[in-house]
């Protein structure tokens, strides 16, 4: 049973930074890709960033492009999301997701992922 455990969320003022962590129960590089999503109350879950095993290719949503970095430490089986220049609109529950194999889905499609963490809350105050 694969487990993903997020941490690093919290309350921060606008303009600040946070680094979210996602610890996997198995070697992180065995996944085809790992991603971060977020969801605010009343909104759909939104893809934020993805990192593919192949060449470490990354993509970001327009809402965080230029402010976010997704990275992976295989020695720790952990994927990170660094968010800079936080704004109140970044307030959400952030989820880690892992995809075990290729599928013909967009990276930000929640249906593409096999495994999900429980989430970590990020609250940005103005």
């Amino acid at each position: 049973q694969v487990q993903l455990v997020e941490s690093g969320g919290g309350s921060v003022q606008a303009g600040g930074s946070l680094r979210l962590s996602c610890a996997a129960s198995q070697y992180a590089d065995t996944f085809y890709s790992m991603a971060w999503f977020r969801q605010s109350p009343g909104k759909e879950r939104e893809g934020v960033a993805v990192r593919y095993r192949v060449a470490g290719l990354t993509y970001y949503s327009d809402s965080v492009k230029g402010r976010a970095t997704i990275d992976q430490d295989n020695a720790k089986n952990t994927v990170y999301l660094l968010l800079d220049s936080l704004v109140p609109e970044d307030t959400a529950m952030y989820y880690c997701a892992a995809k075990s194999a290729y599928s013909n889905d967009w990276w930000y499609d929640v249906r593409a992922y096999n495994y999900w963490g429980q989430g970590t809350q990020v609250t940005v105050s103005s």
Side-chain angles (χ1 to χ4, degrees), residues 2 10 14 22-23 29 32 34 48 54 58 64 71 73-74 76 80 82 89 96 109 114 116 119 122:
V2 173
C22 171
D29 220 30
Y32 178 78
M34 295 191 74
V48 176
V54 175
T58 58
V64 301
D71 202 358
D73 185 339
N74 290 330
K76 297 181 179 180
Y80 302 98
L82 176 63
E89 291 73 25
C96 177
D109 189 339
N114 310 95
W116 291 87
V122 172

Side-chain angles (χ1 to χ4, degrees), residues 19 61 87 114:
R19 188 179 77 159
S61 66
V87 295
N114 310 95

Side-chain angles (χ1 to χ4, degrees), residues 28-30 34 51 53 70-74 77-80:
D29 220 30
T30 62
M34 295 191 74
R51 184 185 185 279
R53 181 180 63 221
I70 185 170
D71 202 358
Q72 186 167 309
D73 185 339
N74 290 330
N77 294 341
T78 300
V79 173
Y80 302 98

Side-chain angles (χ1 to χ4, degrees), residues 102-120:
Y102 170 81
S103 68
N104 190 26
D105 297 297
W106 292 107
W107 71 265
Y108 46 80
D109 189 339
V110 297
R111 297 170 296 181
Y113 295 86
N114 310 95
Y115 308 105
W116 291 87
Q118 293 300 306
T120 185

